[in-house]
Structure formats: C-alpha cells, structure tokens
Amino acid sequence: MAAAVLVGCEGAFLVVLAVLEVVATTAARATLALTTGLFFAVVGAGLAFCAVGLIRARSWARGPVVAVELIGLLLSFSFWGGATTPGAIVILLVCLAVLVGVLHPASTRALAAEES
C-alpha cells in the first residue's frame, strides 16, 4: 500500500511538473517545453493509473512501476554532486522504497492472488 501511495505521489508530481513546464514556455523554446510537458504528463498519468492498479492488487501494474523506478535510480545518479545532490537523494530513496514495496514477498503474494 505504501508503495502505491508513493507511486501516486510520483505521478502527481510529474503532472505538476508538466503544467509548470508548459506555463514557463517561451517563444524560443516552445517546442521543447511542449514536448517535455507532454512527456511528463503522460508518464505522470501512467504512474497514477499504475498506482490505482497496485492499490487494487492488479499484477499488470508492477511491471511498468518497476521499469520507471529503475530508470529513476539511474536518474538519481546523474544528479549526484553539487547543488542537485539533495534532489538525487530524494529520488534515490523514493525509488528504492517503491522497489522494496512492490518486490516484497507479501506484495508478490497479493499480486499473484489476483491472478488465481
């Protein structure tokens, strides 16, 4: 359940980032801002959808969540060093917490029970 809540928060955060990116659009970078905003919105909505799936113990939700969290782990290391280190630590800790939550044996049993 905690992992599903964290995934939902990640999804909401990405949707907020999408809105902020589009709002901060300038004429010089309009295409970049719109495509970045669209990307964040799609990934955020997908994570929110997967969070609902995890709450309802749907096994299909685990795969996309694990993939996104592994990408997040790699992303956290790209922010390591200097002023971005606190952000890297937050990303790293959230991704690890979600991975532990969705790969925990109790979660595995709950998700497998849905298939029976």
Side-chain angles (χ1 to χ4, degrees):
M1 181 63 128
V5 171
L6 283 174
V7 171
C9 289
E10 286 176 322
F13 181 75
L14 286 172
V15 170
V16 169
L17 278 180
V19 171
L20 292 175
E21 181 69 26
V22 171
V23 168
T25 302
T26 62
R29 56 183 295 274
T31 303
L32 178 64
L34 293 175
T35 56
T36 302
L38 180 63
F39 175 77
F40 285 161
V42 168
V43 174
L47 281 175
F49 185 67
C50 287
V52 172
L54 289 174
I55 289 171
R56 294 180 178 169
R58 303 292 191 246
S59 61
W60 58 261
R62 184 171 35 183
V65 168
V66 169
V68 168
E69 300 309 322
L70 290 174
I71 292 169
L73 285 177
L74 296 174
L75 179 69
S76 72
F77 291 111
S78 72
F79 286 113
W80 209 265
T84 58
T85 299
I89 292 170
V90 170
I91 294 169
L92 178 67
L93 292 176
V94 170
C95 290
L96 286 174
V98 170
L99 285 171
V100 166
V102 298
L103 297 175
H104 190 275
S107 296
T108 302
R109 281 190 300 276
L111 293 170
E114 177 264 328
E115 294 176 355
S116 300

